[in-house]
Amino acid sequence: MTAGDSGLHVEPVPRLVGHLAVPGDKSISHRAVLIGAICDGETRISGFGRSADTEATIAAVRALGVEVYEHGEETLRVFGKGMTGLSSPGRAIDCANAGTLVRLISGMLAGQAGETFELTGDASLSRRPMERVAEPLRRMGARIETTEGHLPLRIEGRGLNGIDYVLPVASAQVKSAILLAGLYADGSTTVVEPAPTRDHTERLLQAAGASVTVHPTSATVRPPARLSLGEVEVPGDFSSAAPFVVAATLVPGSELHIHGVNLNARRTGLLVILERMGASVNVYNRRPIGGEPGGDLEVHSAPLVGTTVGAKEVPLAIDELPLFALAAACARGQSVLRGAEELRAKETDRIEATVDALRAMGVRARGTDDGLVVTGVPTRIRGGRISSRGDHRLAMLGAVAGLASRDGVRIDDADAVGVSFPGFFEMLDQLRRTSAVVEDDRR
Ligand code: S3P
């Protein structure tokens, strides 16, 4: 890999062989800090997934008066202020690029009676829709104003009332905001989802002692007297394992083990899709990790065939859909993604950005209103030059494509990986080195 003003060049690799462990789950890391902030007493978080996004969450709770001690990279101690102890910093809270932070914290702040808060973010976050959170919170009695549907958000905390809310879009962030506001409501709050989405908020609230009843497509929370989390162990992030899973699938002769990964079925839709396409991914050492189903993955390269992914599968693989499109590019036949218009509301318009990136690397792909169509060829893709557009998932897509390409891929703005996985390229380099050693040994 070579970096410079002209982008980062990811060279093709003959095979990927080795063992690795990815950093802690970003979704759970955000939630552990946020919920820890409204617990009574200390929450000790191990395996914390450090990234620009989760750093923004630490800074946000500190601004609200919560003490957070950092012990090395991965251990945090959060000294909660109790459910209603967050105080306004008297200035805007910067949520940077973090959609999970801004949506979830809105629910908590709506219930901090007598305090007023302002939330801002970077240019990408400021383009993303915020009424989807503000509207249900207002129904709960919250005082919350968006700026024409976007950031800055202004929230006046007060007592709330419980609601039954049917989510118009399948979004774990919106569901979580409502459930967190439900902690402050008079009576119970129920959220019904069009399709199951990640349930980490429900699990952590239960672990903190709240009464949360969960059904396949709904969750109900009742206001607790207090919350207490104690210890939280964060499992490895499946979304950070996914680029390596796809790379090892696509690069012939690969055998890769990824240890200690969160395998919550509401996160691992990509595995189901890849297996349907013919991928060889074996899960072993299944074990609970920090209240989530976890395990180790063994991936062997395999030839793939095209498939169709529909609306029900979308939330289970939402952040991995660009990688699905790349896998589809190397599969035999056509692949179709439908019901994925939510991708347009991510850090970038990920339908447009993925299609543009694939085309720039010689792949036949086109966008549709709610997804994309890829015509795959079961061989190495050509390679080329792409821009991450500041989107971490796009930068990782480019890196995986580079490994599995003929000519390599040059990525502009590759540093965007720092939003979720700052050590991504170092881990890739390390893997390239260990794979080369195995190669030599085989000769
Ligand atoms: C997340 C939920 C998803 C996902 C995001 C993280 C979360 O967003 O895309 O990266 O931690 O709850 P939506 O809930 O908006 O789909």
Side-chain angles (χ1 to χ4, degrees):
M1 250 164 322
T2 46
D5 286 349
S6 49
L8 183 89
H9 194 250
V10 179
E11 311 274 350
V13 69
R15 57 170 53 81
L16 289 169
V17 181
H19 291 255
L20 49 90
V22 291
D25 188 292
K26 177 159 81 79
S27 288
I28 298 173
S29 296
H30 279 302
R31 286 161 169 81
V33 173
L34 290 170
I35 296 173
I38 53 167
C39 280
D40 283 357
E42 180 181 342
T43 299
R44 190 182 176 87
I45 306 169
S46 59
F48 181 73
R50 201 173 275 277
S51 64
D53 263 17
T54 56
E55 297 273 2
T57 293
I58 298 175
V61 302
R62 281 188 174 139
L64 294 164
V66 176
E67 283 179 34
V68 181
Y69 292 103
E70 304 181 37
H71 301 271
E73 274 285 296
E74 294 190 355
T75 304
L76 298 183
R77 289 160 71 210
V78 180
F79 289 86
K81 288 279 180 189
M83 286 184 47
T84 54
L86 302 180
S87 48
S88 171
R91 58 184 158 82
I93 297 168
D94 181 6
C95 298
N97 193 244
T100 302
L101 167 58
V102 74
R103 268 78 176 251
L104 270 60
I105 208 168
S106 296
M108 287 164 43
L109 297 181
Q112 305 295 315
E115 299 285 321
T116 301
F117 307 93
E118 193 187 343
L119 301 174
T120 57
D122 71 5
S124 156
L125 194 62
S126 301
R127 280 193 297 270
R128 298 178 67 184
M130 295 299 152
E131 271 302 319
R132 54 175 56 192
V133 175
E135 189 264 334
L137 293 180
R138 274 186 214 114
R139 287 197 200 193
M140 299 178 78
R143 286 236 171 92
I144 172 163
E145 281 167 33
T146 64
T147 309
E148 292 172 9
H150 299 275
L151 295 179
L153 261 178
R154 201 172 166 280
I155 301 172
E156 265 177 55
R158 57 198 305 221
L160 304 174
N161 50 268
I163 53 167
D164 283 3
Y165 189 75
V166 180
L167 285 178
V169 289
S171 163
Q173 292 179 353
V174 180
K175 170 179 69 173
S176 299
I178 300 167
L179 293 177
L180 289 167
L183 298 172
Y184 300 92
D186 222 352
S188 65
T189 296
T190 297
V191 184
V192 180
E193 343 186 56
T197 67
R198 66 191 71 193
D199 57 0
H200 312 306
T201 303
E202 295 90 311
R203 286 170 187 263
L204 276 178
L205 285 178
Q206 281 169 340
S211 155
V212 183
T213 324
V214 175
H215 296 288
T217 53
S218 75
T220 300
V221 65
R222 285 171 198 80
R226 60 188 289 277
L227 294 170
S228 171
L229 261 179
E231 301 270 333
V232 180
E233 182 191 359
V234 183
D237 196 330
F238 179 77
S239 296
S240 298
F244 295 101
V245 170
V246 173
T249 297
L250 297 185
V251 176
S254 297
E255 180 187 336
L256 194 62
H257 294 251
I258 312 173
H259 300 277
V261 184
N262 182 5
L263 296 174
N264 183 324
R266 294 183 179 209
R267 292 291 296 283
T268 52
L270 179 73
L271 286 188
V272 177
I273 297 166
L274 285 177
E275 275 162 16
R276 195 160 73 230
M277 297 173 81
S280 167
V281 185
N282 177 33
V283 178
Y284 63 106
N285 282 340
R286 279 191 191 272
R287 59 195 184 274
I289 311 176
E292 296 270 341
D296 301 336
L297 297 174
E298 176 186 0
V299 190
H300 291 259
S301 52
L304 301 180
V305 291
T307 191
T308 295
V309 172
K312 284 270 182 275
E313 271 183 325
V314 163
L316 311 178
I318 186 75
D319 294 333
E320 288 68 62
L321 292 172
L323 287 170
F324 156 65
L326 174 63
C330 304
R332 185 158 43 79
Q334 200 175 62
S335 290
V336 181
L337 169 64
R338 295 198 188 99
E341 53 275 8
E342 265 301 286
L343 287 181
R344 297 198 187 277
K346 296 297 175 190
E347 286 84 329
T348 53
D349 174 340
R350 284 192 182 149
I351 292 179
E352 191 189 290
T354 301
V355 167
D356 286 356
L358 291 179
R359 282 189 174 161
M361 299 185 292
V363 176
R364 279 175 63 198
R366 69 183 163 83
T368 60
D369 285 349
D370 66 343
L372 40 82
V373 179
V374 178
T375 305
V377 181
T379 178
R380 283 185 177 258
I381 60 171
R382 186 195 68 210
R385 181 171 194 154
I386 69 154
S387 166
S388 75
R389 306 183 183 199
D391 185 333
H392 53 135
R393 305 277 175 221
L394 262 295
M396 289 191 251
L397 167 93
V400 176
L403 296 174
S405 69
R406 223 173 49 217
D407 300 344
V409 170
R410 189 169 293 284
I411 308 164
D412 290 325
D413 206 354
D415 287 351
V417 295
V419 161
S420 63
F421 194 167
F424 174 75
F425 286 108
E426 285 71 29
M427 199 171 276
L428 207 63
D429 264 345
Q430 175 73 30
L431 184 59
R432 193 188 284 277
R433 281 196 294 274
T434 52
S435 302
V437 171
V438 172
E439 180 108 323
D440 285 348
D441 288 351
R442 281 182 185 169
R443 281 201 186 115

